[in-house]
Amino acid sequence: MGRPSRPSPSPPVQPTPSHDDIEKGSKRASHKSKVPPPPPPSKLWKPWLMPLAFVANTSVFIYTMYVNDCPHTSGTSKCILYEYLGRYSFQSLKENPLLGPSYITLQTLGGLDWTQVVEGKEYWRLFSCMWLHAGLIHLLINMLSLLGLGIRLEHEFGFVRIGPLYMISGFGGSLTSVLSLARKRIVSVGASGALFGLLGSMLSELITNWSNYTNKCSALSTMLLIICLNLAIGFLPRVDNSAHIGGFVSGLLAGFVLLMRPQYGYISSKHVPEGYQIKHKVAKHQVHQYVLFGISLVLLITG
């Protein structure tokens, strides 16, 4: 005979949740889901202004060489690459070692000359000189810097900020150059002042947005090394270092005003769900950012 089988125990009966329990559970779940999402990443801009500045500088240099017309003014025997460039050929290396036009051409087209700016009151030269270059070598160096620095900054901050910063730096460099040219009586040209301003703005952006960076000391030391190397170039012959320094200082101050970011951990109210209360709210900007903003703005206006 087989062993009598036991009846299998029936599964325990689960109580059916009431309507009130379902409503309370849904409220608890919805309360847990009201966690503020992380703030969206910073908007990245599509650069177009700095590439346009590149095209403008290059076009002005081509026009400068057209106006210069070395074969007509100096004779074909004194022009470099006349066989290939014709009217656009360069002046002799003795006259212009940077492969470019003559001194007279740069002065005529708007080069920065102390006598014409101060005594002749031709203040437009403070801006026109930013678009002229002494030679092909000068143009290549500046345009590589423009594409490397300008596009990166415009990509992060947009043309609305970088455009005024570029012009302020260029004007500051020209103004400093005029003040130092009273005894030199030379013509100064180039976008170097504006480009050094972009470099200075990168330093001020690092300082004012200090809390947003992780490797702070490494970033600061690298930036200072690059700045020192570039300023050292200004002590070479035929280089107007006063424009570099003036542009750098102007860009440094403008960076404190135009490139201030919200500090790390700040969440805008528009990114917080309705009804959610943030216990530890982070201020949008730190005190030192407002202090640097105010001091720099005053110095830019009065200086």
Side-chain angles (χ1 to χ4, degrees):
M1 296 180 59
R3 294 181 59 185
S5 60
R6 293 184 178 182
S8 59
S10 59
V13 179
Q14 298 291 339
T16 304
S18 64
H19 177 74
D20 293 337
D21 292 334
I22 294 175
E23 186 176 359
K24 290 179 181 179
S26 62
K27 287 183 178 180
R28 284 195 297 268
S30 63
H31 177 73
K32 290 181 180 180
S33 64
K34 284 189 176 181
V35 178
S42 302
K43 178 183 178 181
L44 296 179
W45 300 75
K46 185 176 180 180
W48 63 268
L49 185 60
M50 291 297 101
L52 184 61
F54 169 82
V55 174
N57 279 278
T58 305
S59 301
V60 169
F61 180 74
I62 295 173
Y63 176 72
T64 302
M65 297 308 301
Y66 174 82
V67 173
N68 184 68
D69 194 5
C70 179
H72 182 263
T73 57
S74 302
T76 58
S77 60
K78 295 183 179 180
C79 299
I80 300 176
L81 298 178
Y82 167 73
E83 297 81 3
Y84 303 98
L85 301 177
R87 182 185 184 118
Y88 298 90
S89 55
F90 308 118
Q91 298 292 134
S92 65
L93 292 178
K94 183 179 180 180
E95 184 176 358
N96 189 339
L98 297 177
L99 298 178
S102 65
Y103 171 91
I104 299 299
T105 301
L106 292 174
Q107 187 180 45
T108 303
L109 292 180
L112 193 62
D113 180 81
W114 184 88
T115 303
Q116 293 176 327
V117 173
V118 178
E119 297 180 358
K121 301 187 184 304
E122 297 179 0
Y123 303 122
W124 54 272
R125 291 179 178 271
L126 294 171
F127 294 97
S128 62
C129 67
M130 296 167 49
W131 308 98
L132 294 169
H133 286 83
L136 181 63
I137 297 175
H138 188 203
L139 177 71
L140 289 175
I141 294 174
N142 279 352
M143 292 305 97
L144 287 174
S145 301
L146 176 66
L147 295 177
L149 297 175
I151 289 182
R152 175 181 175 273
L153 286 171
E154 187 181 357
H155 186 61
E156 293 187 16
F157 296 98
F159 69 94
V160 177
R161 298 185 183 187
I162 301 305
L165 193 151
Y166 184 85
M167 296 302 297
I168 290 171
S169 302
F171 176 76
S174 299
L175 195 60
T176 309
S177 182
V178 165
L179 296 176
S180 65
L181 289 178
R183 296 180 181 178
K184 293 181 180 179
R185 305 288 180 175
I186 62 174
V187 174
S188 178
V189 294
S192 302
L195 296 175
F196 269 85
L198 295 180
L199 195 60
S201 70
M202 293 178 68
L203 178 61
S204 57
E205 191 273 331
L206 173 62
I207 295 173
T208 193
N209 302 320
W210 189 253
S211 64
N212 295 340
Y213 286 87
T214 52
N215 300 323
K216 299 178 174 62
C217 294
S218 175
L220 181 60
S221 59
T222 302
M223 182 62 60
L224 291 176
L225 177 62
I226 295 174
I227 292 171
C228 291
L229 290 175
N230 280 274
L231 288 175
I233 298 175
F235 293 99
L236 296 174
R238 297 177 178 268
V239 177
D240 184 10
N241 205 28
S242 58
H244 294 177
I245 296 174
F248 177 81
V249 174
S250 300
L252 181 73
L253 297 175
F256 286 126
V257 176
L258 297 172
L259 304 185
M260 186 168 62
R261 300 177 189 259
Q263 67 167 316
Y264 179 78
Y266 168 76
I267 301 177
S268 176
S269 57
K270 64 182 180 181
H271 299 133
V272 179
E274 184 179 355
Y276 186 89
Q277 298 293 330
I278 300 178
K279 295 183 179 180
H280 305 287
K281 189 173 181 179
V282 178
K284 185 174 184 179
H285 297 108
Q286 294 180 322
V287 176
H288 79 274
Q289 291 179 294
Y290 290 113
V291 172
L292 291 172
F293 176 91
I295 295 175
S296 300
L297 185 62
V298 171
L299 290 175
L300 283 174
I301 295 174
T302 59

